[in-house]
Amino acid sequence: MSVLIKNGTVVNASEHYKADIYTEGEKIVAIGKNLPYDAEKVIDATDKLVIPGGIDPHVHLDMPFMGTFSSDDYETGTRAALFGGTTMVIDFILQTQGDTLHNALTTWQKKSEGKAIGDYSYHMAVTDFNDNTAKEVVQMIEEQGITSFKTFMAYKGALMIDDGQMVQLMKVVKENGGLVTVHATNGDMIDSLIAKNRALGNLSPLYHYLSQPEVTEAEASARFADMLHYTDCPGYIVHMTCEGALNAVRHATKRNQKVFVETCSQYLMLDASLYENDFEGAKVVMSPPLREKKDQEALWSGINQGLVQVVGTDHCPFMWDQKLMGKDDFSKIPNGHPAIEHRMDLTFSEGVNKGKISLTKFVEVTSTNAAKIFGMYPRKGCLAVGADADIVVFDPNKEHTISVNTHHMNVDYSAYEGWEAKGKTETVLLRGKVAIENNECLLKPGYGQFIKRGKTSKII
Ligand code: URP
Ligand code: ZN
Ligand code: ZN
């Protein structure tokens, strides 16, 4: 299949300019003005932006969590991602404590193979570090192309590892060219605040928020950065929400450390006032919780200062019936919310259209930086000759309203119901094939490929 995208504004992380793009098979073959190719398909991108396919490096598809499973699987989740201009996701494999990384990998391969429509990779979550895990970490990097290792400083008894295990993991990962990522909140402090609130009969979703104050995230982020410094390992903090945690990273960068930061679209758009709506607040019960307006400002500034490199989603949807598991006790509400479909549109609408970030910064934080940090650049994350033809034709002026009635995620509510956005994904190519056109998905389950990733040390 060959495709010619004509007359668009091509945007990369470094610059934007008017040009055509010609693709053949899975790759971009030429970029330039008035390209002289006869293509099987021509897309007119006049007045449109042409951007690299989005990469969301933080999603949870079909994930066992808090006694249930996230409601999007690889088929529905990657399809919804494509509708929103995200052509690749990185999901999390969870090691079961007492079991091996390889067994966890097999479980996740069964979830994804033959089902994914969009491209994907995995982070490996290490929940039980021992001598055998250390050997498996090396095998994951060398044989499987899984080069990032997720850790949890919270969710004790299920996912959390202690600081001793963390430091040992960092040493092995550092020696073998990988990256350690972290859910950085102080699990012990949070558990004691949850216990206190439950004992006092404070059981509504508001107390989910009040049990995870900013200090729990700031402290853990600083501790993680210190452990990275001690081991000289590169690290990545997922779903950062607040000024205190960002300041911990600001401090670490003065030591010239590699500490990358991801925030998520919801932390830029939504705030903690939503927890005041009684049980409605369950829709945005996630960890860490939504924060204050001042934190949103700090995160937008952090993006512009280069301290925050990535905007992901932490997409972890649950149906309303699943949220009702915590009707009488906030600590039983499955944590997470749906966002995979709206990350690009919302970040453009609130960021670029409202003047908070530039067009090139938008591409950087929604695609290019994730490709670089996670070892896929320049195959993914840019519009360049030889790169995968993962391309989004984006209408910067299209006004639309977000609603459960029109979204494609497998979840029966939207945290953004009625939100008016300006800027919308229109046509999407994934490895040269038209994936989304005229609001329809043209690709079938199984088209999505597992992308082996390179060593972090070679890229960043
Ligand atoms: O609330 C969240 N974030 N759910 C998914 C698991 C995690 O901590 O990322
Ligand atoms: Zn997390
Ligand atoms: Zn997550």
Side-chain angles (χ1 to χ4, degrees), residues 362-439:
F362 168 67
V363 166
E364 223 184 298
V365 297
T366 56
S367 179
T368 312
N369 284 346
K372 287 184 176 171
I373 293 167
F374 293 111
M376 298 178 285
Y377 189 84
R379 174 177 176 187
K380 305 259 184 212
C382 61
L383 299 175
V385 171
D388 279 2
D390 300 347
I391 306 175
V392 176
V393 178
F394 191 90
D395 184 342
N397 296 310
K398 175 86 180 170
E399 295 184 4
H400 61 113
T401 307
I402 294 176
S403 171
V404 62
N405 299 320
T406 46
H407 76 204
H408 301 85
M409 298 176 286
N410 185 37
V411 59
D412 51 2
Y413 59 87
S414 169
Y416 302 90
E417 191 63 44
W419 191 289
E420 308 277 352
K422 186 172 173 192
K424 194 172 188 325
T425 298
E426 194 176 81
T427 306
V428 180
L429 265 61
L430 172 55
R431 281 180 285 105
K433 282 238 165 82
V434 179
I436 302 292
E437 191 175 47
N438 300 326
N439 209 24

Side-chain angles (χ1 to χ4, degrees), residues 85-374:
T86 292
T87 49
M88 170 157 186
V89 300
I90 313 184
D91 188 20
F92 294 82
I93 296 177
L94 301 184
Q95 175 192 22
T96 303
Q97 292 184 338
D99 203 347
T100 64
L101 301 186
H102 279 95
N103 282 343
L105 172 61
T106 306
T107 303
W108 257 260
Q109 284 167 333
K110 286 188 189 137
K111 291 175 189 283
S112 57
E113 283 172 7
K115 284 193 92 174
I117 303 176
D119 284 355
Y120 62 96
S121 175
Y122 313 119
H123 306 282
M124 177 60 75
V126 176
T127 64
D128 190 357
F129 187 84
N130 53 47
D131 289 347
N132 186 53
T133 323
K135 289 189 196 122
E136 290 193 286
V137 162
V138 182
Q139 289 160 358
M140 289 297 148
I141 295 174
E142 297 296 339
E143 294 162 22
Q144 306 292 340
I146 297 172
T147 53
S148 48
F149 297 86
K150 172 75 179 293
T151 58
F152 292 89
M153 295 168 88
Y155 305 126
K156 200 171 188 169
L159 302 172
M160 178 170 154
I161 56 171
D162 64 30
D163 292 349
Q165 290 177 307
M166 177 76 88
V167 166
Q168 290 176 54
L169 172 66
M170 284 176 176
K171 285 187 173 154
V172 179
V173 169
K174 152 79 189 165
E175 276 161 22
N176 291 281
L179 180 79
V180 174
T181 80
V182 71
H183 171 124
T185 61
N186 184 318
D188 285 338
M189 274 178 84
I190 292 167
D191 287 348
S192 81
L193 287 167
I194 291 173
K196 185 181 130 216
N197 276 317
R198 292 178 75 212
L200 290 170
N202 296 330
L203 297 171
S204 74
L206 177 65
Y207 290 92
H208 169 78
Y209 165 63
L210 294 174
S211 300
Q212 300 201 35
E214 180 172 2
V215 62
T216 58
E217 194 180 334
E219 184 281 330
S221 300
R223 183 157 38 104
F224 179 71
D226 285 345
M227 290 187 282
L228 289 176
H229 186 244
Y230 173 66
T231 56
D232 193 26
C233 183
Y236 177 98
I237 302 178
V238 307
H239 55 37
M240 187 177 281
T241 69
C242 59
E243 189 182 12
L246 192 61
N247 283 338
V249 172
R250 202 183 302 278
H251 174 66
T253 59
K254 290 182 194 156
R255 299 185 294 211
N256 200 21
Q257 271 186 255
K258 279 186 181 156
V259 191
F260 301 103
V261 175
E262 164 201 285
T263 189
C264 297
S265 38
Q266 61 272 23
Y267 300 121
L268 296 166
M269 322 291 164
L270 306 176
D271 68 67
S273 60
L274 293 174
Y275 296 117
E276 283 157 23
N277 299 340
D278 289 328
F279 197 69
E280 276 288 291
K283 290 178 181 169
V284 286
V285 163
M286 63 188 83
S287 292
L290 300 173
R291 302 283 185 202
E292 312 293 316
K293 295 263 188 239
K294 63 109 181 148
D295 298 299
Q296 295 181 343
E297 289 312 314
L299 292 171
W300 283 115
S301 320
I303 288 174
N304 281 320
Q305 292 160 352
L307 282 173
V308 177
Q309 292 83 12
V310 174
V311 177
T313 59
D314 192 10
H315 176 73
C316 190
F318 296 100
M319 293 286 189
W320 188 240
D321 259 0
Q322 294 173 287
K323 288 283 185 181
L324 285 172
M325 289 162 67
K327 190 168 51 66
D328 302 317
D329 177 353
F330 71 89
S331 71
K332 297 194 167 61
I333 301 170
N335 285 200
H337 100 307
I340 203 167
E341 187 167 349
H342 301 305
R343 177 183 72 115
M344 306 278 284
D345 291 356
L346 281 173
T347 306
F348 185 87
S349 184
E350 295 299 306
V352 181
N353 265 337
K354 295 199 174 163
K356 290 192 174 76
I357 57 171
S358 69
L359 206 46
T360 50
K361 185 57 101 174
F362 168 67
V363 166
E364 223 184 298
V365 297
T366 56
S367 179
T368 312
N369 284 346
K372 287 184 176 171
I373 293 167
F374 293 111

Side-chain angles (χ1 to χ4, degrees), residues 355 432 441:
C441 182

